[in-house]
């Protein structure tokens, strides 16, 4: 069961902040495709420049394999406090 | 010590505790950022963090400050959630042998916290809410240290 | 507010009071100078002021800082008399709309207080007491602002 | 009755920190001469470069007339706090 987290404007676009997926997609690219199929506007927002991805709280730049218990966070540009 | 809190906090007791028992320190600089009303333009500031990730990223940056300025100690307390005008948003304190290092490290940490730290900021004003991205000024501030 | 005190003081409550009720401030920088033990080399620091004259001279300088950095407010509390290692010697706080001004004004006030303010400083160490004149480093610090 | 104040190392040299003179000398230069006649080491220390004089809490650079109730302070180089 993968845990997906959205921050900042991404959760406003999606209408949710956190969801779980069972089974977990095999790869980050599969997860992106799944989310975009569900919600095209969100899919586009997640692919926008400046949106970073943290896999188990570590930033990843490229595609990556997900484990069944991965936590994937989509992070729009950080604004500072 | 790096911590996030969704409760209001008073910077005074933090500074008192930070200064206590420092017979070899000499210099403690601090910065307190307060939410501004902007003449009624901003009613409530809302800050979102990614718990665990946000502290870890700030902690990693704080280590660079500790080394770069030869700090003896530092403290960062950051408010998250909804913040009313006049309330403290952030408190940073730095301890060093000499004041130049303490001031510069505090300034450096604040430039980072205001421009690149993992927070997402929403301003609730009279015309609704909007997400805020870092200002050009904040990017220039952090660029000074490159 | 500029004051001298021959009693020990805690910087925390000063900072709390200074930050209170500031819906339009944004930035409060502070500096706390603590007496250093210097590994046992200095046991007691003694600071002499000229009551009335010292506050007036500091006040006149503080006005230049207020104008130069467009400060909303400032506070200076300076200890006089005998001071033990680890005890606060000086507390300076500055309030401004933006953090750059608050930091720079605090730094500027400290450079003045450490190099040119009307205090006479005696260090009591294991080999007796000696009067201290400003260090070359202090003169360089204040020269940065010319 | 003029009030004379010594600060920093000057009071260590003189062995006093404050004294009153009755009648007050007419001028600052008369006061300097009087103090130097009493204590040559102090007279020399007061004349050393970097020692400033405050007359009624205002710095004066040159000679000045004293009033009967003047407060004269001799200030060695200020060390900062």
């Amino acid at each position: 069961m993968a845990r997906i987290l959205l921050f900042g404007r991404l959760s406003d676009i999606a209408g949710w902040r956190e969801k779980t997926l069972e089974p977990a997609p095999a790869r980050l690219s599969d997860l992106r495709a799944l989310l975009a199929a569900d919600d095209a506007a969100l899919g586009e927002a997640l692919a926008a420049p400046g949106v970073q991805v943290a896999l188990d709280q570590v930033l990843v730049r490229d595609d990556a394999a997900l484990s069944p218990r991965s936590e994937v966070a989509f992070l729009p540009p950080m604004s500072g406090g | 010590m790096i911590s996030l809190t969704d409760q209001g906090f008073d910077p005074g007791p933090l500074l008192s505790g930070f200064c206590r028992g420092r017979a070899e320190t000499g210099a403690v600089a601090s910065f307190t950022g307060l939410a501004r009303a902007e003449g009624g333009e901003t009613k409530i500031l809302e800050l979102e963090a990614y718990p665990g990730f946000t502290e870890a990223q700030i902690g990693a940056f704080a280590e660079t400050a500790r080394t770069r300025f030869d700090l003896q100690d530092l403290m960062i307390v950051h408010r998250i959630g909804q913040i009313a005008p006049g309330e403290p948003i952030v408190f940073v304190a730095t301890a060093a042998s000499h004041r130049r290092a303490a001031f510069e490290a505090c300034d450096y940490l604040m430039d980072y916290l205001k421009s690149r730290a993992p927070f997402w900021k929403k301003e609730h004003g009279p015309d609704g809410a909007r997400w805020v991205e870092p200002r050009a000024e904040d990017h220039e501030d952090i660029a000074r240290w490159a």
Side-chain angles (χ1 to χ4, degrees), chain A, chain B:
Chain A
M1 190 184 76
R3 202 163 153 240
I4 318 302
L5 303 173
L6 302 181
F7 289 89
R9 57 180 167 75
L10 297 177
S11 58
D12 283 0
I13 291 166
W16 53 270
R17 208 187 162 299
E18 178 172 346
K19 76 163 56 174
T20 53
L21 291 178
E22 178 68 55
R27 303 191 62 80
L28 185 53
S29 50
D30 300 326
L31 171 62
R32 286 182 181 278
L34 194 70
L35 293 172
D38 251 21
D39 180 343
L42 176 62
E44 198 176 316
L46 296 182
V51 174
Q52 295 181 284
V53 179
L55 173 56
D56 295 325
Q57 306 218 337
V58 175
L59 292 173
V60 291
R61 280 177 172 280
D62 303 306
D63 196 15
L66 304 186
S67 78
R69 311 188 56 148
S70 285
E71 176 177 288
V72 180
F74 290 94
L75 312 174
M78 297 158 185
S79 65
Chain B
M1 197 267 281
I2 292 164
S3 69
L4 305 182
T5 172
D6 59 3
Q7 302 296 311
F9 69 89
D10 180 350
L14 298 176
L15 180 62
S16 293
F18 191 76
C19 287
R20 208 165 287 141
R22 296 202 175 277
E24 293 296 354
T25 287
V28 171
S30 89
F31 182 84
T32 306
L34 303 168
R36 270 202 309 256
E38 308 277 10
E41 286 302 298
T42 303
K43 287 206 162 34
I44 290 286
L45 182 70
E46 188 175 349
L47 279 179
E48 193 181 4
Y50 179 6
F53 178 82
T54 297
E55 294 95 318
Q57 293 278 312
I58 295 173
F61 189 85
E63 276 312 303
T64 71
R66 195 188 290 269
T67 305
R68 178 170 184 158
F69 299 101
D70 199 16
L71 295 181
Q72 295 175 350
D73 200 4
L74 63 85
M75 173 187 268
I76 298 172
V77 176
H78 212 294
R79 181 82 181 273
I80 54 174
Q82 297 207 335
I83 308 168
E87 291 186 346
I89 303 171
V90 58
F91 174 79
V92 173
T94 52
S97 298
H98 294 287
R99 69 182 183 284
R100 185 75 41 241
F103 270 126
E104 291 190 351
C106 197
D107 193 6
Y108 179 68
L109 287 165
M110 278 309 306
D111 279 353
Y112 164 75
L113 288 167
K114 293 296 284 184
S115 68
R116 295 204 328 236
F119 293 103
W120 297 274
K121 182 158 50 181
K122 203 175 203 172
E123 285 177 359
H124 298 259
D127 304 324
R130 65 180 195 96
W131 289 100
V132 183
E133 311 252 310
R135 299 171 306 157
E137 194 181 321
D138 292 319
H139 285 307
E140 284 161 23
D141 285 342
I142 191 74
R144 294 184 303 148
W145 304 98

